[in-house]
Amino acid sequence: MTTSAKHTELRQLVRSQLLLLLESNNLQGAKSLLVPVQPVDIAEAIEDLPESMQVIAFRLLSKAEAIEVYEYLDSSVQQALIQKFKRQEVREVVDQMSPDDRVRLFDELPAKVVRQLLEQLSPEERQATNLLLGYEEDTAGRVMTPEYISLKETFTVSETIERIRQQASKSEIIYYLYVTNASRQLVGIVSLRDLVVSEPDLPLSEIMTRDVVSVHTDTDQEEVARTIQRYDLLALPVVDREDRLVGVVTVDDVIDIIEREATEDIYALGGLQTDGDNYFQMNLWTVARQRVVWLFVLLITNTFTGWIISSQQSLLEQVVILAAFIPLLTGTGGNVGAQSSTVVIRGLNTEDLNDLGPAKVVGREAIAGALLGAILGIVVIVWAYFLQGNLAVAISVGISLVAIAVLASVAGSSLPFLFRYLGLDPALMSAPFITTAVDVIGVLIYFNIARMMLRL
């Protein structure tokens, strides 16, 4: 059995047992059940419970465990629990959260609730939270944690280890230690491994690495994720405009960023606007509202396509069989365009296309479209002739398929570049416009080629 299968089995077992114990009002049994379970598994089990039981299960946890479990919960469940907590419970949980996780929660809550929660925080935590909330969304400043250990290069190894002992509980990371000067500017980094293997009397200046990879507070979170991935880091320091160290982005936050961004892009490719939330925990009205926008666009597109088809009534009356191949052509063109846009959008996100440039990418996809069209066109010509016995119609369909495949490839590869240049989301904007190009222009190409081949 794979690790994933074991995890799923454990989750289902905990969830079913927990639900059974809560329904029978066996709170002590439920509490005992959760003791050996990891916080992330408890969070998933609570998310699967009916909403009325989620708060009951959460209150069975010890204070320390409740704080850790809360950080793993989906934002919608966090919000629901906040509404049910008593004032003291809210303060205990939210005040003990790490600042970056707390800010992520506040981003999902109404402004009025955020103000109330900020008032309940301790002065120190309120200051840390306001600091992060002051940065723009989706930047390094917004996702970093201000909980790190800062050192001076005059410290010895033994002094540094003692400082780690004193501050470890207040820091989110201890495997990287950051060295700053009198102006709080980042000048070096020391790993915990370097400290362990070094002589106790050595100053940090002799063992620290001065060539430090860092990002600024206004760096986009996707660039932060790529930097950590590129250099195989566990944490990345964040500096302000004066190069003063203000926080650290840890690899667990980067994993969340990558997952959230990938979710948004995948949803966007389907014409669904979302902030990366769990789709299956949204209410149905929100789901319908997010999905209906591009469906209206496609509805209008199909109206144009229908108008073009109706304008060719005289041609279709003479050769009715032409209408039978329209879905084949537009469907194939749509799939080819979707393939091209998918690889280009993915390349833009991973920066794989930076060295090629738009012209080379579009040219490459156009050639690929021509090859695909030629292969499919030959097959379609044979198949159409076999079905209808009309060689002129079969050739018309085959040539049209080649032209539409090239059109779809060019549209699918060029539109993401265009929308990125205009400052729009390529993933969200490309799909409906590719459909428009393929359906409307493709049908026009088909009818014109048919007229020439049939001499009508």
Side-chain angles (χ1 to χ4, degrees):
M1 183 180 294
T2 64
T3 302
S4 177
K6 289 180 180 178
H7 170 76
T8 302
E9 185 178 348
L10 174 62
R11 173 183 173 180
Q12 293 174 345
L13 179 62
V14 172
R15 188 260 181 193
S16 60
Q17 291 295 318
L18 183 59
L19 179 61
L20 186 63
L21 291 168
L22 291 176
E23 286 178 339
S24 61
N25 203 30
N26 186 354
L27 300 185
Q28 188 58 46
K31 187 173 183 178
S32 301
L33 172 70
L34 296 176
V35 169
V37 182
Q38 292 292 324
V40 64
D41 294 320
I42 295 176
E44 290 182 350
I46 290 177
E47 288 174 353
D48 289 339
L49 291 174
E51 189 172 328
S52 59
M53 293 186 177
Q54 288 176 345
V55 69
I56 299 174
F58 189 81
R59 282 177 170 153
L60 296 175
L61 304 172
S62 65
K63 180 180 176 181
E65 193 172 34
I67 294 165
E68 194 170 357
V69 168
Y70 191 81
E71 292 183 354
Y72 284 113
L73 291 171
D74 185 83
S75 60
S76 60
V77 180
Q78 288 180 332
Q79 294 179 56
L81 290 178
I82 282 286
Q83 304 299 325
K84 295 181 175 67
F85 286 161
K86 297 176 182 176
R87 180 179 293 267
Q88 182 61 29
E89 287 178 317
V90 170
R91 177 174 179 177
E92 289 177 352
V93 172
V94 178
D95 192 71
Q96 295 299 317
M97 293 177 71
S98 58
D100 52 329
D101 288 327
R102 187 187 304 124
V103 167
R104 194 175 300 119
L105 168 65
F106 284 4
D107 282 337
E108 304 291 339
L109 294 173
K112 181 179 179 180
V113 176
V114 171
R115 285 195 298 270
Q116 294 173 347
L117 292 176
L118 280 171
E119 292 173 359
Q120 297 177 36
L121 297 177
S122 63
E124 180 181 354
E125 294 299 330
R126 188 184 309 124
Q127 181 181 2
T129 304
N130 282 328
L131 170 68
L132 301 188
L133 287 172
Y135 296 108
E136 291 185 18
E137 289 188 27
D138 300 330
T139 62
R142 197 61 170 257
V143 299
M144 71 183 183
T145 175
E147 296 178 336
Y148 58 89
I149 296 178
S150 177
L151 307 165
K152 304 300 178 186
E153 55 185 311
T154 55
F155 286 4
T156 64
V157 170
S158 60
E159 289 173 338
T160 300
I161 292 176
E162 181 58 34
R163 189 175 181 87
I164 293 173
R165 290 195 183 103
Q166 295 172 358
Q167 298 189 1
S169 61
K170 300 178 182 178
S171 175
E172 188 164 328
I173 59 166
I174 61 170
Y175 32 84
Y176 287 150
L177 309 164
Y178 301 96
V179 184
T180 58
N181 60 21
S183 301
R184 286 180 41 228
Q185 292 175 318
L186 182 63
V187 296
I189 183 173
V190 179
S191 70
L192 190 59
R193 179 181 179 278
D194 292 334
L195 287 176
V196 172
V197 300
S198 299
E199 294 295 328
D201 296 331
L202 275 178
L204 293 183
S205 58
E206 293 189 20
I207 64 171
M208 72 181 189
T209 300
R210 295 185 181 274
D211 185 17
V212 184
V213 177
S214 63
V215 292
H216 287 87
T217 52
D218 59 354
T219 302
D220 185 86
Q221 64 178 13
E222 289 190 72
E223 177 60 29
V224 174
R226 284 193 289 266
T227 302
I228 285 184
Q229 182 184 35
R230 183 181 302 122
Y231 294 101
D232 289 330
L233 302 174
L234 294 176
L236 183 65
V238 182
V239 298
D240 61 15
R241 293 179 180 177
E242 287 76 36
D243 289 330
R244 292 175 299 192
L245 181 64
V246 292
V248 177
V249 179
T250 54
V251 70
D252 60 316
D253 294 322
V254 166
I255 293 172
D256 291 339
I257 291 169
I258 293 172
E259 181 183 5
R260 189 162 57 251
E261 294 290 346
T263 299
E264 289 179 12
D265 287 343
I266 291 170
Y267 283 168
L269 285 171
L272 176 63
Q273 294 175 296
T274 177
D275 294 324
D277 294 330
N278 189 328
Y279 174 84
F280 296 101
Q281 292 186 352
M282 298 180 188
N283 66 67
L284 291 178
W285 172 248
T286 302
V287 168
R289 179 172 51 82
Q290 291 183 344
R291 293 173 63 171
V292 75
V293 177
W294 289 123
L295 292 178
F296 273 127
V297 174
L298 296 178
L299 185 66
I300 295 172
T301 298
N302 288 331
T303 302
F304 279 115
T305 305
W307 176 77
I308 292 172
I309 294 173
S310 64
S311 70
Q312 302 294 324
Q313 183 176 352
S314 60
L315 174 63
L316 292 174
E317 286 177 349
Q318 296 178 64
V319 190
V320 178
I321 193 57
L322 288 174
F325 295 101
I326 293 175
L328 180 150
L329 295 172
T330 56
T332 303
N335 289 332
V336 172
Q339 289 175 342
S340 292
S341 66
T342 299
V343 296
V344 171
I345 290 169
R346 180 58 182 165
L348 290 174
N349 288 339
T350 59
E351 298 186 342
D352 290 340
L353 304 182
N354 286 358
D355 297 333
L356 294 177
K360 287 186 178 180
V361 172
V362 175
R364 176 186 170 87
E365 285 301 307
I367 295 172
L371 291 173
L372 289 169
I375 295 170
L376 296 174
I378 293 171
V379 174
V380 166
I381 288 174
V382 175
W383 183 244
Y385 182 72
F386 174 76
L387 290 177
Q388 305 299 329
N390 189 324
L391 183 60
V393 170
I395 293 175
S396 299
V397 175
I399 295 175
S400 298
L401 187 57
V402 175
I404 290 173
V406 174
L407 166 69
S409 295
V410 171
S413 57
S414 61
L415 287 176
F417 285 107
L418 174 63
F419 292 128
R420 188 179 70 163
Y421 176 77
L422 296 175
L424 303 172
D425 184 355
L428 182 61
M429 300 296 294
S430 296
F433 284 92
I434 292 170
T435 301
T436 300
V438 172
D439 285 1
V440 176
I441 303 176
V443 169
L444 283 174
I445 290 173
Y446 175 47
F447 284 132
N448 280 285
I449 290 176
R451 281 186 181 279
M452 287 189 294
M453 292 298 303
L454 297 170
R455 297 178 182 179
L456 296 174

